[in-house]
Amino acid sequence: MSLTVLRLGHRPSRDKRMSTHVGLIARALGADNLFYSGLKDLSLEKSIQGVAAQWGGSFGVAHVRNWKAFLKEWKGKSVHLTMYGLPIQRKIARIREEKDLLVIVGGEKVPWEVYELADWNVGVTNQPHSEAGGLAVFLHELFQGKELDREFPGARKRVVPQSRGKKVV
């Protein structure tokens, strides 16, 4: 499966950490690319690309000027993560069947058109939560936990798991 995340409405002054976390979670838990709309932020792009260079794997990050055109032109299916959506447990089996999947992660005030254009509006919970947390739970359910065993080729750094302390080689 090819998996891309679209982060809507990035605002560098307010969303720098959240958008970075969305990108890092996407990369670590199985996505291939992150596209983001809103304001172009080279700092965001360099930060995520730097992590990929150090920790391995291939992961693309790029800005899109027009999220609506991007979504309309998407060739695969799309999932909008929203607390207003149908419970993930009702839709995840069907979503796993897709070959090219776009996962849409909102920001403040998601435009109504997103709800209409997405193939699925899915919630990991119907309670308020962060978009980064929602993405993490969604990817974990999508990959059924297998994403936790991923290898990242070309890594310059790797954590050696330990019960105490930190070891990076």
Side-chain angles (χ1 to χ4, degrees):
M1 169 186 290
S2 172
L3 192 137
T4 297
V5 173
L6 173 61
R7 164 74 162 134
L8 297 175
H10 173 69
R11 302 164 298 172
S13 62
R14 296 185 55 131
D15 298 330
K16 181 177 181 169
R17 289 185 57 124
M18 184 57 71
S19 294
T20 300
H21 290 175
V22 165
L24 294 177
I25 289 165
R27 180 195 157 274
L29 299 183
D32 302 297
N33 300 291
L34 170 71
F35 289 93
Y36 69 99
S37 69
L39 298 176
K40 185 168 178 64
D41 186 350
L42 293 176
S43 174
L44 168 69
E45 294 178 30
K46 287 179 185 177
S47 177
I48 295 170
Q49 290 167 342
V51 168
Q54 289 294 310
W55 294 89
S58 62
F59 187 78
V61 58
H63 179 258
V64 294
R65 295 186 114 163
N66 185 331
W67 67 263
K68 194 184 301 186
F70 182 85
L71 183 52
K72 285 180 177 179
E73 293 168 10
W74 183 256
K75 300 292 186 220
K77 296 287 187 175
S78 59
V79 178
H80 172 221
L81 300 183
T82 171
M83 66 183 258
Y84 305 104
L86 295 173
I88 189 173
Q89 56 272 35
R90 283 201 219 158
K91 297 296 176 184
I92 198 66
R94 172 63 186 90
I95 293 168
R96 280 190 200 112
E97 297 172 4
E98 295 304 320
K99 291 187 172 137
D100 292 312
L101 189 63
L102 178 67
V103 179
I104 305 160
V105 178
E108 190 175 19
K109 295 186 182 179
V110 172
W112 184 250
E113 294 97 339
V114 174
Y115 292 87
E116 294 177 342
L117 291 170
D119 293 295
W120 295 283
N121 289 288
V122 173
V124 300
T125 179
N126 297 119
Q127 293 293 312
H129 61 283
S130 89
E131 50 269 35
L135 178 61
V137 171
F138 176 80
L139 293 175
H140 185 67
E141 290 293 317
L142 180 69
F143 294 120
Q144 298 175 298
K146 294 178 182 120
E147 78 286 358
L148 301 177
D149 295 324
R150 285 185 69 210
E151 297 284 329
F152 291 85
R156 296 181 194 149
K157 292 183 178 181
R158 184 177 54 85
V159 169
V160 178
Q162 301 187 35
S163 63
R164 288 194 174 86
K166 300 178 187 178
K167 186 173 183 181
V168 177
V169 293

